[in-house]
Amino acid sequence: MSFPIIRHRRLRGSSAIRNLIRETQLHVHDLVHPMFVIYGSGIKREIPSMPGVYQYSLDRLDEELREVAELGIQAVLLFGLPEHKDETGTGAYEEEGIIQQATRRIKQLYPDLLVIADTCLCEYTSHGHCGVVHHIGGRAEIDNDPSLELLARTAVSQAKAGADIIAPSNMMDGYVQAIRTALDAQGFEHVPIMAYSVKYASAFYGPFRDAAQSAPQFGDRKTYQMDPANLREALREAESDVREGADFLMVKPALAYLDVIRALKENFDLPLVAYNVSAEYSMVKAAAQNGWIDERGIVMEMLIGMKRAGADIILTYFAKDAARWLKE
Ligand code: PBG
């Protein structure tokens, strides 16, 4: 009878030895908590497709922020719902825009909390696209270069309001350079850019578009967001963002794109961010509410998988849950 020469199980025998040899750690500092801010007062409205995620009016933000701070989460990502939408997304770059007001308020209440401002037009445009629309003949095009001007204005107004990090999610070409140049020209050369470098045209954003009321009113985002079938193109997207001055690179969504996270980790040295997007959250919540899965086990396994793949930072709607579980 022959015995195994190699015994992997020696290193699995107790919780202590498993802790000793664990290769990947998840820390509360890795987590960023996304928030949706809305005009009005007294509002805390749950998003039906994202149980546990709320839209808050400015006067009720503090409830959420206190919890976030107590859990040790250091950063929030802000999305705004404007009062009115128009063709050019004015609400994105006005001084009294919702993100600008929310940023000022948060920095007043919690100066040490990092405010990351999502820089895009889709929540603010009447057509729901991430750039301006140009009609050529019967066809509507998302016009790249005029969009850059508005996105740069948006980033500057967010920085003026006190945003610590600018996170452009619009997927226009040249967006990092345009935003970097505008920030530098206005005295915000110290404000980093977290580039949504590799953002796929994904069905996993469905619940977010309910939350942010940002679904495109015609067509889709496939002329600017990436084809889920492509990996080498992801390297080209990241490469151009690095050259244009990005300080962080992001891959979005996360779960179906762990190979892309790994590829960026191997090819670039910038801090790497994974966005665990809305449908990745909603699927787990729905199954958990049905009693079909162990939510905590599933969530922690997903998050550790993103880190193992190469993510340094995770934007996730599970941030508060994960922070709580990490403390226990
Ligand atoms: C805005 C933006 C989107 C998300 C983040 N920023 C939506 C989109 O591109 O349609 C999606 C986030 C999520 O699904 O959680 N451009």
Side-chain angles (χ1 to χ4, degrees):
M1 181 158 179
S2 71
F3 293 100
I5 296 172
I6 297 166
R7 293 189 184 272
H8 302 290
R9 293 182 54 193
R10 278 184 203 123
L11 301 185
R12 293 175 198 151
S14 69
S15 165
I17 200 165
R18 292 191 296 272
N19 289 341
L20 191 67
I21 67 150
R22 184 161 300 122
E23 298 173 30
T24 311
Q25 309 282 345
L26 180 69
H27 193 277
V28 65
H29 291 170
D30 304 332
L31 304 170
V32 177
H33 174 65
M35 293 179 69
F36 299 95
V37 194
I38 190 164
Y39 280 97
S41 59
I43 300 173
K44 176 183 177 183
R45 185 187 299 138
E46 192 169 34
I47 295 144
S49 55
M50 300 179 75
V53 179
Y54 299 83
Q55 296 167 337
Y56 286 91
S57 54
L58 291 165
D59 59 329
R60 291 194 68 175
L61 273 181
D62 194 27
E63 294 168 34
E64 179 85 341
L65 294 168
R66 202 176 320 126
E67 199 187 341
V68 165
E70 277 168 13
L71 286 166
I73 296 169
Q74 304 190 108
V76 295
L77 172 64
L78 290 189
F79 295 102
L81 288 89
E83 215 154 28
H84 64 276
K85 297 177 190 254
D86 56 35
E87 278 282 303
T88 53
T90 317
Y93 39 87
E94 354 177 86
E95 205 179 314
E96 294 307 319
I98 187 75
I99 288 296
Q100 289 77 359
Q101 291 193 49
T103 301
R104 287 194 291 265
R105 188 169 180 87
I106 295 173
K107 294 310 289 185
Q108 221 169 37
L109 294 168
Y110 296 89
D112 295 332
L113 192 67
L114 287 172
V115 171
I116 307 177
D118 185 88
T119 306
C120 197
L121 300 181
C122 64
E123 294 115 286
Y124 307 92
T125 49
S126 43
H127 44 72
H129 280 286
C130 305
V132 293
V133 174
H134 185 192
H135 297 274
I136 314 164
R139 256 203 15 239
E141 293 256 8
I142 316 308
D143 207 348
N144 197 84
D145 300 6
S147 304
L148 294 179
E149 273 172 51
L150 300 183
L151 290 162
R153 268 172 75 175
T154 304
V156 168
S157 76
Q158 293 169 335
K160 267 188 190 150
D164 298 289
I165 300 176
I166 298 299
S169 61
N170 51 82
M171 287 299 279
M172 295 297 118
D173 287 324
Y175 71 110
V176 174
Q177 186 179 11
I179 290 172
R180 184 73 274 157
T181 306
L183 288 174
D184 291 358
Q186 302 281 327
F188 298 108
E189 51 286 276
H190 56 283
V191 175
I193 297 177
M194 181 182 279
Y196 283 66
S197 305
V198 182
K199 178 171 176 181
Y200 288 94
S202 171
F204 284 95
Y205 309 148
F208 174 94
R209 291 177 188 174
D210 295 339
Q213 294 166 8
S214 63
Q217 298 304 300
F218 65 85
D220 53 39
R221 303 209 203 288
K222 290 181 185 167
T223 67
Y224 45 107
Q225 298 181 349
M226 279 182 53
D227 182 337
N230 295 352
L231 173 64
R232 285 180 300 162
E233 187 185 349
L235 297 176
R236 299 202 294 276
E237 279 281 1
E239 166 89 48
S240 61
D241 286 359
V242 170
R243 230 182 300 139
E244 292 176 27
D247 299 285
F248 300 78
L249 299 177
M250 192 192 301
V251 174
K252 178 184 173 187
L255 276 185
Y257 300 88
L258 295 179
D259 58 324
V260 182
I261 294 174
R262 167 55 46 184
L264 259 66
K265 186 69 166 191
E266 283 171 357
N267 284 280
F268 302 95
D269 294 328
L270 291 179
L272 185 56
V273 188
Y275 198 145
N276 177 209
V277 300
S278 54
E280 296 172 342
Y281 174 86
S282 304
M283 294 191 303
V284 172
K285 283 289 174 188
Q289 284 182 345
N290 275 297
W292 295 339
I293 55 168
D294 161 17
E295 182 180 1
R296 176 175 173 168
I298 295 269
V299 170
M300 295 314 257
E301 190 174 328
M302 281 173 23
L303 298 177
I304 206 74
M306 292 168 203
K307 287 215 69 185
R308 194 191 62 246
D312 301 299
I313 300 158
I314 305 174
L315 312 189
T316 177
Y317 305 98
F318 289 116
K320 287 192 298 175
D321 290 330
R324 214 172 288 118
W325 291 327
L326 284 169
K327 272 192 175 178
E328 285 171 17

